[in-house]
Amino acid sequence: LNAKEDVRVSVFNKLQDHNEVHRDELPKGLELCGFVGIRQSWVDSACDAITKYSTLELEEFLNFVKGYEARQDNFYKSTFEEADLDNSGTMEAGELAEMLQKLGIEPMSHVLDEVIREVDDGNGELEFKEFKHLMDLLVVREGFTSSEYDSYVELFNHLDPKKSGEISDEDIRTILKWLTCSLPEAVLQEILNETDADGSGTISQREYLRCLRKIRELE
């Protein structure tokens, strides 16, 4: 299995009940897989293409996520083509923020500038493959800069010495103390409850990063 599929299998295991995931859980499943700006119409059409039933087994869930991703890629492509007014196969890096807004993604400007520098070959224009790479980086890093992302992952690994891929809610609180988080306890608890969907008391690295992002947005 590749890393992407590993994540998707673990998301299925987190959300499953009797080895099936209910349709209503699919948007949450996609979010845990790292998708942002989830569109219900794509969820419905990707799910309808696989099953007429209200629950999905693992194989169906994996195919559903691929189907959703294909719809998203088509949308990226058509949005990119709209921005490519002269049909040159490229778009101006400066037009990117507006385009991302259409996709429901609003990274902080210093994050966006850094990612553009990372994927652009220096001509100030992005080809579709560079744009796609940029989208992947924004999603993987949960909208953080490269150095923030690396330091947060390092903190996570420090508290996960056995490399289980999960840390406890208490560990997160420890990290937040180190990061001098200023949110009130009730708000923090609500974010942790949302993040730990199955109430297991542990969260994965992806969920941990998402949790930090939500905290950052509220601070």
Side-chain angles (χ1 to χ4, degrees):
L1 288 181
N2 60 29
K4 204 184 247 187
E5 189 143 303
D6 280 349
V7 168
R8 292 171 182 182
V9 171
S10 71
V11 167
F12 177 86
N13 290 334
K14 193 169 184 75
L15 296 177
Q16 62 85 20
D17 184 26
H18 296 98
N19 297 318
E20 293 184 322
V21 165
H22 196 278
R23 276 182 94 117
D24 295 347
E25 296 281 2
L26 293 177
K28 178 158 197 62
L30 289 168
E31 196 177 287
L32 293 175
C33 289
F35 291 88
V36 288
I38 311 293
R39 294 180 179 235
Q40 190 60 45
S41 59
W42 300 350
V43 172
D44 293 340
S45 72
C47 188
D48 291 342
I50 286 162
T51 181
K52 59 182 189 294
Y53 298 110
S54 61
T55 57
L56 289 78
E57 293 172 349
L58 174 60
E59 202 54 45
E60 292 171 324
F61 176 77
L62 294 175
N63 286 332
F64 158 76
V65 178
K66 280 184 196 148
Y68 184 91
E69 191 171 30
R71 285 159 176 77
Q72 179 177 269
D73 284 351
N74 288 338
F75 182 62
Y76 284 173
K77 191 105 180 88
S78 61
T79 311
F80 181 88
E81 282 163 1
E82 264 175 50
D84 174 19
L85 298 173
D86 57 359
N87 294 325
S88 63
T90 61
M91 66 173 288
E92 300 287 325
E95 295 166 350
L96 198 60
E98 192 182 325
M99 179 172 161
L100 289 174
Q101 223 168 355
K102 277 189 191 171
L103 299 171
I105 300 167
E106 297 187 49
M108 285 169 281
S109 57
H110 70 284
V111 173
L112 188 53
D113 291 344
E114 180 190 81
V115 179
I116 289 172
R117 281 197 302 276
E118 211 170 319
V119 302
D120 180 22
D121 54 16
N123 61 3
E125 295 188 332
L126 296 177
E127 295 168 19
F128 183 66
K129 72 172 190 310
E130 291 173 325
F131 168 69
K132 186 102 173 50
H133 184 202
L134 177 140
M135 295 299 296
D136 287 345
L137 288 177
L138 286 175
V139 167
V140 165
R141 292 179 191 156
E142 288 291 344
F144 292 116
T145 64
S146 173
S147 60
E148 286 171 333
Y149 172 78
D150 289 345
S151 69
Y152 292 155
V153 168
E154 202 178 311
L155 285 174
F156 182 95
N157 291 339
H158 178 68
L159 290 170
D160 178 27
K162 291 182 181 163
K163 302 278 177 285
S164 68
E166 297 202 316
I167 60 174
S168 70
D169 291 357
E170 282 315 305
D171 289 334
I172 282 228
R173 289 175 185 283
T174 304
I175 288 173
L176 293 175
K177 278 199 188 94
W178 291 340
L179 298 173
T180 62
C181 165
S182 60
L183 286 180
E185 172 57 30
V187 176
L188 190 53
Q189 191 56 54
E190 197 176 319
I191 292 173
L192 285 173
N193 291 347
E194 265 177 44
T195 306
D196 179 15
D198 59 357
S200 63
T202 60
I203 64 171
S204 68
Q205 189 183 96
R206 169 69 38 210
E207 293 168 315
Y208 152 77
L209 289 166
R210 182 156 300 118
C211 180
L212 291 183
R213 190 186 71 196
K214 283 182 176 164
I215 289 165
R216 161 77 63 88
E217 284 165 0
L218 289 171
E219 274 189 317

